[in-house]
Amino acid sequence: MNLPGILITGVSGFVGGRLADSIDSEVYRVVGVTRGAVSKSYPLIEIASLSDLPAPEVFFDGIEVVVHAAARVHVMNASEGDPLTAFRDVNVKGTLNLARKAAAAGVKRFIFISSIKVNGEHTATGQFFSSHDTSSPEDFYGISKHEAEQGLRELAAETGMEVVVIRPPLVYGPGVKGNFASMINLVARGLPLPLGAVYNKRSLVALDNLVDLIITCIAHPGAANQTFLVSDGEDLSTTQLLKGVADAMGKPSRLIPVPASILQFGATLLGKKAVAQRLLGSLQVDISHTQKCLNWTPPLTVKQGLQRCFPNHQD
């Protein structure tokens, strides 16, 4: 019996790799797409870029669903004269090239891993982003994801291929990189941090919660042509998050209760307003549409998600 094929881009990455490893091989046939040589238990197609794909009859042979997790997330070369163009080349042009060829090959559903940055960078206290908000991206990455979403919706209307958009906030889990990894390193070193009195609220999503939602969207009839926000369903202050990380690591949390107003003032003087916004500002998402439409609940609590970041720690 021929199993339905799932093509996943970015399988060497944080989300795509975990997703591909989590899909039941007795239900779906996974094909991974990567830009570099990696060792996996499923077939791989190595490409140079999303703008230069193999022939559709080879690339999409037996594929019913594409999950597009590959993306340009950071500016790799700070000397680039036009970083927005660099983001657009991958996140917009590359995405739409992949999607057009998928539609032409008869792919039924295209799942696009976007970003909450399409909604914006922060929310006011007690306010939540929703899937029905007017988009308000601020940085190059968010702008490129927004433009890709727009192009995908136009393509869906033209071709009938179903498009599913998922916008995660910060994703954490085993092997996480970036700002979350830096925070883990600070806690692990036992350094005292002046973040013991921050009362913001931020939505996060555990990697396995995000993966569970993506898998749900592969076949759920209610997912077609929908936009879903995702989180753990438990919003934390920066202070609570640092304490949670320390607990998961089995380390003491050394947090000094410095008022957020003083931290904000100091960050402004040092030219670190963006860093302060991430640490002190709020960003909350409303996942009620996702839960209702898909009858979905995050399988992991925040505590369980943080514990999975440190599998070697035993209580």
Side-chain angles (χ1 to χ4, degrees), residues 89-289:
D89 284 343
V90 176
N91 296 347
V92 184
K93 293 180 181 178
T95 295
L96 297 182
N97 183 51
L98 175 69
R100 288 190 194 98
K101 293 190 174 182
V107 170
K108 296 178 180 178
R109 180 170 289 186
F110 190 98
I111 300 175
F112 179 54
I113 311 304
S114 186
S115 169
I116 197 61
K117 284 177 172 285
V118 172
N119 288 73
E121 293 289 335
H122 58 87
T123 55
T125 303
Q127 300 295 312
F128 294 77
F129 284 138
S130 81
S131 57
H132 306 297
D133 288 342
T134 300
S135 298
S136 185
E138 296 181 22
D139 68 2
F140 297 142
Y141 175 67
I143 291 169
S144 67
K145 286 290 192 176
H146 178 225
E147 292 176 355
E149 287 187 17
Q150 291 177 307
L152 288 171
R153 292 190 185 98
E154 293 173 1
L155 184 64
E158 294 169 4
T159 66
M161 181 177 69
E162 298 170 352
V163 167
V164 182
V165 173
I166 298 176
R167 295 179 190 162
L170 187 150
V171 184
Y172 66 94
V176 67
K177 299 179 180 179
N179 293 327
F180 202 93
S182 298
M183 181 186 68
I184 289 174
N185 183 53
L186 290 173
V187 174
R189 292 168 62 187
L191 298 176
L193 302 173
L195 297 168
V198 181
Y199 304 110
N200 60 342
K201 288 291 182 182
R202 297 193 74 88
S203 298
L204 312 171
V205 63
L207 176 60
D208 287 339
N209 282 342
L210 175 57
V211 165
D212 188 79
L213 177 65
I214 297 170
I215 292 174
T216 299
C217 288
I218 287 174
H220 198 295
N225 301 314
Q226 294 287 329
T227 297
F228 297 120
L229 305 192
V230 58
S231 77
D232 293 333
E234 304 173 57
D235 297 341
L236 304 178
S237 68
T238 298
T239 299
Q240 291 171 321
L241 177 59
L242 288 166
K243 289 180 178 178
V245 168
D247 287 345
M249 297 176 69
K251 300 269 186 180
S253 57
R254 296 186 170 93
L255 302 178
I256 303 170
V258 178
S261 58
I262 295 178
L263 294 174
Q264 183 71 60
F265 179 73
T268 301
L269 289 179
L270 295 172
K272 300 292 185 179
K273 290 182 69 174
V275 174
Q277 175 58 50
R278 288 192 292 270
L279 289 173
L280 308 177
S282 294
L283 191 159
Q284 294 180 268
V285 305
D286 177 4
I287 64 171
S288 59
H289 170 68

